[in-house]
Every structure is written in structure tokens, then in C-alpha cells.
Amino acid sequence: MNGMNRRGIVAVLLVAATAAAACSRGDSSRVLIQNKGSDTLVNLAQAWAEHYRTVKPGVAIAVSGGGSGTGIAALINGTVDIANASREMHAEEKEQVRAHNGKDAIEHRVARDAIVVYISKSNPIAKINVADLACIYAEDGTCQSWTALGVEVPGCADQKIIRVSRQSNSGTYEFFRDAVLGKGRDFKLGSRDMQGSKDVVDLVAKTPCAIGYSGMGYVTADVKVLCLAKDASSPCVAPTPESAKSGEYPLSRWLYMLTLGEPQGDVKGYLDWILSPAGQQIVVQSGFVPVN
Amino acid sequence: MGNDREHAGAPRDLGRSRAAVAAERVIEALIRICGFSAIFFVFSIFLFVALSGSDFIVNRLDLHEFLLSPEWVPTSVSNKRYGTLALTIGTFSVTGLAMLIAVPFGLGSAIFVSEFTGGKVKEVLKVVIELLAAIPSVVWGFVGLVIMNPLIIAVFDAPIGLNVLNGGILLGLMSVPIIVSIGEDAIKAVPDSYREASMAMGATRWQTVVHVLLPAARSGLLAAVLLGVGRAIGETIAVLMATGHAVQIPHSPLDSVRTLTATIASELGETSRGSDHYQALFTIGILLFALTFVVNLSADLIVRGVRGEQR
């Protein structure tokens, strides 16, 4: 169905296979940490899990995606040890965690990300501002064609803007909605809602009329990244590790891992390692920005 | 019915052991349970779906909005809307286009396989058509995403290739094997005496097919088409990947749409159990149930009408 779940399943299988191997060696002290959620984080979480096997062979981490909403729902139901989220938790989600588990959810910042806006390579536009993005994506927005933004896109029928977005449980979807459209505003219906960030990149790469967004870790050379300005009078900022870190890039955000209460034992060991220089090195390799 | 069987079987029981008779009884009972289990499963699934959405349906469902509003915005912070019109039209537009493709192709090849070819060609064709039916729907979806999308953009100069046309072609191809195999059975089931009589009257093969075989096999052919429709309405993953998954009422085959099934598939995993959104998705399930029921029922009535006419 989508790249995410497939990757998630592969990750689970891999971890299960290692787990089975560990068992057959008679290692009875093996611990399994369940880790689920954000699609933006899933590749990074998987890279961490794989490296951690060499750091601590007795601990296996099962990673799956599904979206930030899915991860938080699993945390509420108490079925995961660590939930991944690419947005902050809502107040009602925090309440539900407390009501169901008697513990508070603790948010750990594990990486920094920028939401990158991109278009097809044939599109001549080079920069855009947040107000224009809202004009394209918002319910009451009026920007329907590339001509309205002052460009002519070769190979694009009727110059119609094809909005590519994400399914509604995505943390990226919610972050983009709140940050670009403003709180309380909705997306205009009729956008192509993809199941994963990778699907957005793939579709935009093949569609001259398209515009899409996702976390910076997913961007490939097949799409053209836009330089983004806060408003019409500000200079535009390219999404780079530096501009994401400083917050100068308008759509930068934290990526979180969530636990029930303060982490203990092996979960704490894993989170500490993630925040250590070795763990943060993998953040850089995955195309995101380290915490410090 | 059961008594008839026992009487009919009674003379044969002579000379058989008690165990054999008892075994036959048990088998008969098991077969009866299998027969009635379909009814049980249909009702329990319906009950489960209805109960899962019951609180929403009873207390908060605005039927007018649900059926007639095209706005499906279940995760809005300020203004949640549960309108399924765009999704219903999406389902029907893709299914309709699929049938435009699948019915002529399916019935055509059913006629060819049954009447115009034989021997090796027929065997090869049947095996290949069965293979077509065995392709998993996610593979079809992949074809739609990777091959058809750029192709449709290039050929039709469309802004995007994930649309009704893409989904319709895929669903059409997926329905063809079902229509072929059931349609072929229906034509084959027409007694040879019909063919012989027609030939004896001097009719050509084609005239025999059009004026004798097709009318005689009408209800079977209709059943074949309906099973194809059922396949198309219920298909999820391929349409999720190929139609663009966009909530809008299509104005042309080149517009993206979203179907009822794809909406359930992509959103159910995310919702917290018992929430309005969760229950609204189950209400969509009931709507799908009702739509397929209406399709099947009207088809059944048509078949009965056709049979009545023939008498």
C-alpha cells in the first residue's frame, strides 16, 4: 500500500529475525523495545535500531511507521515503549495518556527537521513565501494556477497547480496545517493525499504541475527544493541544516520520541545513546539535523 | 428436504454398518451448517459494523450532510465535516469506467474462448486469463503509480496521471478475468442442441452467437458482469494508489478522486477507537454494504425479469 508500512514490516521482520537468532544462541536476557509512529522518523528510527544492535546486542528494537497519530494512539493504548512523533502532542492526547496509563507522556527531542517544499524539476519557480503556500493549500485559498504565481511551467496542462499532501494522521500534515495555514484553517479539499513522505517525493518528481512537502530527510535529487520566505517582504531561506537549527527557516520543527513517564532501564539506555554523539551522527547521515 | 433424502437413501442403507450410516448423518449435518454459515457471517459482519458506528449514527449523524455533502474533513480542528458524496461519486465513477472497459473485453473474450476457438489456443487462453486474475491488487496499484501515471500525463496532456481513468483501466483489467471465466461457463452451458438447430437453419456462427447463444445465456452473462462490478466496487489498494486519493467530485476522467474503500483503508488505522472519526468510517462501511446490496438486488430482479420474459 505504501512505502512506509512496507519498510515498517521489513524492519519488524529484520528485528524479529535477529531476535530469533539471539534466542537460538540461548540469550535469555534479550529485551524487545516496541517503537512506532511518525513516517518522517521511520527511516531514522530504523537506522538507530540497526546500529544499536552492535552497541547492545541484548536489546532488539521493533520499528514501524504509520504516522505520528498512529504512534501516539499506540502510546495511549500502552502497546509501545516509545512513540515517534513529528509534531507536539495535543493537550487532549496528553490527557488520554494520563487517563489510560496513569503516567504522563514525556517528549524527548531527538532531532531537528525542516519541512521542505518542492516542485518538479521542470518548474522554473525558485522561491515562494508562506502566504503563497497558504493561498495554494488553504480551504479559502485562491491560487489555482502557476500563472497566478508568475511562472509558466512547461509540460503542465492548463498550468493547474496539483497539490500533493499527506493523509490526515500524519504529523507533517498537522504541522504544515498549523504553521502554514494557521490554527483552525483547513486544507482545501481535492489535494492528492499520499500515505508516506516518499510517495510525495515520487509523485512530485513525475508530475510537472505538482507541489508537495515533506521532512528534509526524504528529499531526493529528482525534485527541486524551493527557497522559502516568511512573507512577501522577507528574504527567502533555503532549507539547510544551519537554517533549520537556528530556526531561520520558517518551517523548522523538532522530531520527538515519546515515553510513558521518565524512561527506565533499557529504554533509557536507548534514548541516552540516541542523544549521544554516536546516535546523533546517524541523524546527520539520515539527512536530518542533530539536536545540539 | 432432509426427510426426502433419508427416504431416498433408505434402501441403500441395507447392508451398511451403523457407523457408515451415522457418519453420513454427521457429514450431512456439517454440510448443512456450511450452507447456513454464509447467512450467519453476513449478519454478524453487518451487526459488527453497525454496532461499531452506532453511537455516532444514533446521536450525531446528520444523514443529509453524510449523504449529500462532498466535504470530508474528519480531522479539522475547528470544523469537522463528515460528507461522503464526493467519495460515493468517486467509487461509482471509477467502477463505471472500469465496466465500460471490462464488459466488452470480458464478454468478447468469453464468446471467443467458448465458440470461436478450441484445442491448444483455448487451453492457453484460459490459463493466461486465470493468471491475470491471480495478480495481486497491490501489483496493479504499482503499475498504476509507476507506469500509467507518466503515460497518462504524456498521452492525454493531463496535469496528473493518478485519476479516474487510471483507476478505471486498472479495475477494468482486474474485472475482465472474472467476467471471462463466468461468462464462458454461461455460454458453454447453453445446450448443444441450440447450436445444432441454429446451424441447421443455415445461420452462420456469428448469427448463432448473437441471436441464439447470447439470449439463452443472458442471466448467466449478467451474473458475470455483476461479479465484475462487485470486484470493482470493493477493490481498495489498487484504487488507493492509482486514483490520486483526492476528495473532490470529478468533472472528467482526468480528475483525481477518492473512493469509499480507500478512505476506510487509509484512515481507520489512525483513529482512536470509539472516536467520532472511527465511527464515521464504520458508517461508511454500512453505506458500502447498502450500495452493494442495492446493486446485487437490482441485478437479481433484472435476472428474474429476463427469465420471466423468456417463458
Side-chain angles (χ1 to χ4, degrees), chain B:
Chain B
M1 265 257 285
N3 282 338
D4 293 349
R5 288 256 183 279
E6 273 160 34
H7 288 310
R12 279 188 284 119
D13 290 346
L14 295 173
R16 291 168 72 194
S17 71
R18 266 160 194 256
V21 174
E24 200 165 307
R25 288 255 165 87
V26 170
I27 289 167
E28 210 176 292
L30 281 177
I31 288 175
R32 184 165 303 189
I33 290 171
C34 292
F36 284 119
S37 65
I39 298 177
F40 169 77
F41 286 132
V42 167
F43 274 97
S44 41
I45 289 172
F46 184 76
L47 210 65
F48 164 71
V49 173
L51 283 180
S52 299
S54 60
D55 179 41
F56 175 75
I57 296 169
V58 173
N59 297 320
R60 286 177 299 282
L61 178 66
D62 175 352
L63 198 64
H64 188 265
E65 184 207 18
F66 186 74
L67 293 178
L68 297 177
S69 159
E71 295 187 350
W72 175 258
V73 195
T75 51
S76 168
V77 177
S78 51
N79 180 17
K80 294 183 176 29
R81 280 149 286 170
Y82 300 101
T84 59
L85 185 68
L87 310 178
T88 310
I89 293 180
T91 289
F92 278 108
S93 58
V94 177
T95 306
L97 187 67
M99 286 305 115
L100 279 184
I101 296 164
V103 169
F105 270 97
L107 293 186
S109 52
I111 292 169
F112 179 72
V113 169
S114 151
E115 299 300 317
F116 289 92
T117 187
K120 271 229 168 99
V121 179
K122 183 172 176 165
E123 287 312 308
V124 169
L125 263 180
K126 286 184 79 165
V127 168
V128 172
I129 287 167
E130 269 159 31
L131 264 181
L132 197 64
I135 297 175
S137 57
V138 68
V139 175
W140 284 111
F142 202 67
V143 169
L145 208 57
V146 176
I147 300 172
M148 303 268 291
N149 176 37
L151 202 66
I152 291 176
I153 293 179
V155 173
F156 293 94
D157 193 24
I160 186 167
L162 301 180
N163 49 26
V164 177
L165 181 67
N166 192 334
I169 291 174
L170 291 186
L171 282 190
L173 293 178
M174 290 168 81
S175 307
V176 160
I178 294 177
I179 297 181
V180 175
S181 47
I182 298 180
E184 194 228 334
D185 285 346
I187 297 172
K188 216 166 55 187
V190 177
D192 275 342
S193 56
Y194 281 44
R195 292 183 184 80
E196 287 155 8
S198 171
M199 297 288 186
M201 301 284 285
T204 63
R205 234 193 221 183
W206 176 239
Q207 284 169 331
T208 305
V209 166
V210 173
H211 297 293
V212 178
L213 297 181
L214 289 187
R218 228 190 303 188
S219 62
L221 294 176
L222 194 66
V225 170
L226 282 173
L227 278 169
V229 171
R231 171 90 161 113
I233 288 187
E235 177 47 47
T236 305
I237 299 304
V239 287
L240 176 67
M241 293 166 83
T243 55
H245 209 52
V247 185
Q248 61 180 3
I249 294 176
H251 298 290
S252 90
L254 297 177
D255 280 346
S256 299
V257 291
R258 192 199 275 205
T259 64
L260 293 164
T261 49
T263 303
I264 299 177
S266 82
E267 293 182 3
L268 193 60
E270 85 195 48
T271 56
S272 57
R273 242 161 192 279
S275 64
D276 274 6
H277 186 189
Y278 178 88
Q279 298 196 37
L281 290 174
F282 274 94
T283 314
I284 290 188
I286 296 175
L287 178 65
L288 257 177
F289 227 121
L291 291 176
T292 39
F293 183 70
V294 168
V295 169
N296 280 354
L297 190 71
S298 47
D300 203 46
L301 291 178
I302 292 170
V303 170
R304 273 163 207 265
V306 170
R307 279 197 194 134
E309 227 171 74
Q310 280 177 341
R311 254 178 224 143

Side-chain angles (χ1 to χ4, degrees), chain A residues 116-121 125-127 219-220 223-228 237-239 249:
Chain A
V116 176
V117 180
Y118 39 79
I119 48 176
S120 133
K121 289 202 120 169
I125 200 167
K127 59 175 187 175
V219 173
T220 66
V223 292
K224 178 170 163 190
V225 172
L226 286 175
C227 181
L228 185 64
V237 183
Y249 185 73

